[in-house]
Amino acid sequence: MKPSRAADHYVPTYFLASLGAGGLSVTFFMYLMFWVPHPGRPVPVFEDILAAWGTGSLPMRLGLAVAIAGIAVFVFLNLKLLIWNLSQHAALKQTERYTQLRNSNAESTLLAMPVALAMSVNGLFIAGLVFVPNLWSIVEYLFPFAMIAFGVIGWIALSIIGDFLGRVLSKGGVFDVTSHNSFAQMLPAFALSMVGVGFAAPAAMSHVPWVVATALVLSTFFAVAALVYSLVALTTAFNSMLHYGTHEESGPTLLIVIPIVTILSILFMRQNHGLHTFDGHSDPASTMMFLARMLSLQVVFLGLGLVVLKRQGYFKDFVFGSKTSAGSYALVCPGVALSVLIQFFVNSGLVQAGVIAKFGVTYWAITAVAIAFQIAMIALVARLNAQHFSRSSAKAVPAE
């Protein structure tokens, strides 16, 4: 029997595998962002890292080495999986299965593609900051091109959403409410928020007023669109779940609110930083409380999701067991998102507000939680990749 693998039964949800790898590269960049001094710049660059290596202690050098290696590995994996997904997606479009997908609730899973594309743009930018000397000297020339890239990705996302909503809202009976018993329909909001946070980056880093203003306006549009879509999707999904329970394979989508919250939190912080160009200001205490509220929201949905997943035995079946579902990759994003937002809460919140001392005992105790989430997600990615991409003589279970 010819060896097969679960990933041979391709569905667009596999774009989340690329997304998860890209997200892990961001968790390693957090080491550099908050541990490496970068005076005069909102983010560390190659020269800052080189200086920190030259003057840093052994623990600092160890942290830098881990961060640089992690970024290199996971940006590579992100791009590798993105290219594989784009190839598989192109092949899928030529099949009858794709036509059936476009006429079902699962049409929204196509939004996993722009989510992954936006993450890859972010990953490439991070790699450029870390590995390319003198990049900051030309960064202002790069921002317009970055906004064009996110504009294209945003157009792809809006086009897919428009096709989906146009189909289900123009005539009744085409949307299966009984299959809406999960947060799977939050994927469009995820895509919109990813595009929005990409647009917000030039707002935080550029010193050219028209670039900052354009980035502020476009990121605001996608943030508002994501919030509106989230409200509708969450409300209707809860109603369906109360009637029919949560769809077993879609259980991980209950945690999708967590990465959306992290993305929108970073978006709003970038916007606040960008407002300095126009004499806008925010104080450290307000930032700390904002991050505390966002983190609390994440903990609420983490508890909800884990309760349901445990009751369903999802981890036993789809993570540690023999069953496979491409939706399992949705478990990576919440852990990555929590790791990132905890780092922001500690450094941009507690430290900046003067609540705790940087690199003190309390600092490392809370940071250890973020690192624990990061390590757990690395292990999860390794496990899922082995499940879905390794070949076996046994028949692979179709990923749905």
Side-chain angles (χ1 to χ4, degrees):
M1 181 180 295
K2 182 180 178 180
S4 61
R5 58 184 188 176
D8 291 332
H9 303 270
Y10 181 76
V11 289
T13 315
Y14 272 117
F15 274 105
L16 297 181
S18 174
L19 174 68
L24 281 170
S25 71
V26 176
T27 65
F28 283 103
F29 185 70
M30 292 296 99
Y31 294 9
L32 306 179
M33 179 75 176
F34 296 120
W35 301 350
V36 173
H38 44 93
R41 284 184 286 264
V43 291
V45 297
F46 175 86
E47 289 75 17
D48 298 318
I49 299 166
L50 193 62
W53 181 271
T55 60
S57 61
L58 179 61
M60 171 63 83
R61 289 187 176 185
L62 180 61
L64 291 176
V66 170
I68 292 169
I71 291 168
V73 168
F74 285 105
V75 168
F76 171 78
L77 184 59
N78 163 258
L79 296 175
K80 177 184 176 182
L81 289 170
L82 178 68
I83 293 169
W84 175 81
N85 269 282
L86 291 172
S87 174
Q88 294 294 313
H89 185 264
L92 177 66
K93 291 179 70 173
Q94 308 304 316
T95 66
E96 177 62 27
R97 193 158 61 92
Y98 182 77
T99 303
Q100 295 171 355
L101 183 147
R102 292 301 298 257
N103 290 280
S104 69
N105 288 19
E107 183 178 10
S108 61
T109 62
L110 295 174
L111 272 300
M113 177 177 64
V115 174
L117 288 172
M119 176 56 78
S120 293
V121 174
N122 286 322
L124 286 170
F125 185 70
I126 286 174
L129 293 174
V130 175
F131 297 109
V132 180
N134 299 316
L135 182 69
W136 199 253
S137 64
I138 61 168
V139 74
E140 291 290 359
Y141 298 101
L142 299 179
F143 289 142
F145 291 103
M147 289 195 291
I148 291 172
F150 282 111
V152 172
I153 297 170
W155 177 256
I156 294 172
L158 290 172
S159 297
I160 298 171
I161 293 171
D163 288 342
F164 175 66
L165 292 180
R167 179 175 63 84
V168 302
L169 296 179
S170 61
K171 49 188 176 182
V174 297
F175 185 80
D176 186 1
V177 179
T178 63
S179 299
H180 185 33
N181 52 338
S182 70
F183 287 171
Q185 295 302 325
M186 285 287 287
L187 197 52
F190 197 176
L192 293 169
S193 60
M194 278 296 297
V195 174
V197 78
F199 271 121
M205 291 185 276
S206 178
H207 295 286
V208 179
W210 76 264
V211 172
V212 175
T214 302
L216 286 170
V217 171
L218 291 174
S219 60
T220 296
F221 167 77
F222 281 98
V224 170
L227 288 170
V228 171
Y229 206 106
S230 296
L231 180 62
V232 174
L234 284 173
T235 303
T236 55
F238 259 117
N239 182 59
S240 184
M241 285 189 291
L242 289 172
H243 280 82
Y244 308 107
T246 303
H247 186 267
E248 182 183 13
E249 286 195 37
S250 299
T253 65
L254 296 180
L255 302 173
I256 198 172
V257 173
I258 296 173
I260 292 175
V261 168
T262 289
I263 292 166
L264 291 178
S265 297
I266 295 172
L267 185 155
F268 293 135
M269 285 191 293
R270 285 176 171 178
Q271 287 186 330
N272 283 334
H273 192 82
L275 287 174
H276 291 179
T277 303
F278 308 105
D279 295 324
H281 301 280
S282 60
D283 60 273
S286 297
T287 300
M288 180 185 69
M289 289 308 300
F290 167 73
L291 290 170
R293 294 183 186 108
M294 296 302 101
L295 195 56
S296 298
L297 183 59
Q298 288 181 319
V299 172
V300 169
F301 278 93
L302 177 66
L304 170 66
L306 291 181
V307 165
V308 175
L309 290 170
K310 182 179 178 181
R311 289 290 184 93
Q312 291 181 329
Y314 186 92
F315 291 97
K316 179 182 68 177
D317 292 337
F318 291 98
V319 178
F320 303 109
S322 59
K323 295 182 180 180
T324 57
S325 170
S328 297
Y329 279 99
L331 293 171
V332 178
C333 300
V336 166
L338 281 164
S339 178
V340 170
L341 198 64
I342 289 172
Q343 290 271 27
F344 272 99
F345 176 62
V346 171
N347 292 277
S348 299
L350 297 178
V351 171
Q352 289 297 317
V355 176
I356 63 174
K358 190 164 187 175
F359 302 142
V361 174
T362 305
Y363 178 93
W364 287 117
I366 305 175
T367 300
V369 178
I371 295 175
F373 274 114
Q374 178 193 39
I375 294 172
M377 292 308 102
I378 293 171
L380 178 59
V381 165
R383 169 61 180 169
L384 293 178
N385 285 351
Q387 277 186 312
H388 290 263
F389 292 97
S390 62
R391 296 192 176 275
S392 170
S393 58
K395 183 179 179 181
V397 180
E400 298 177 353

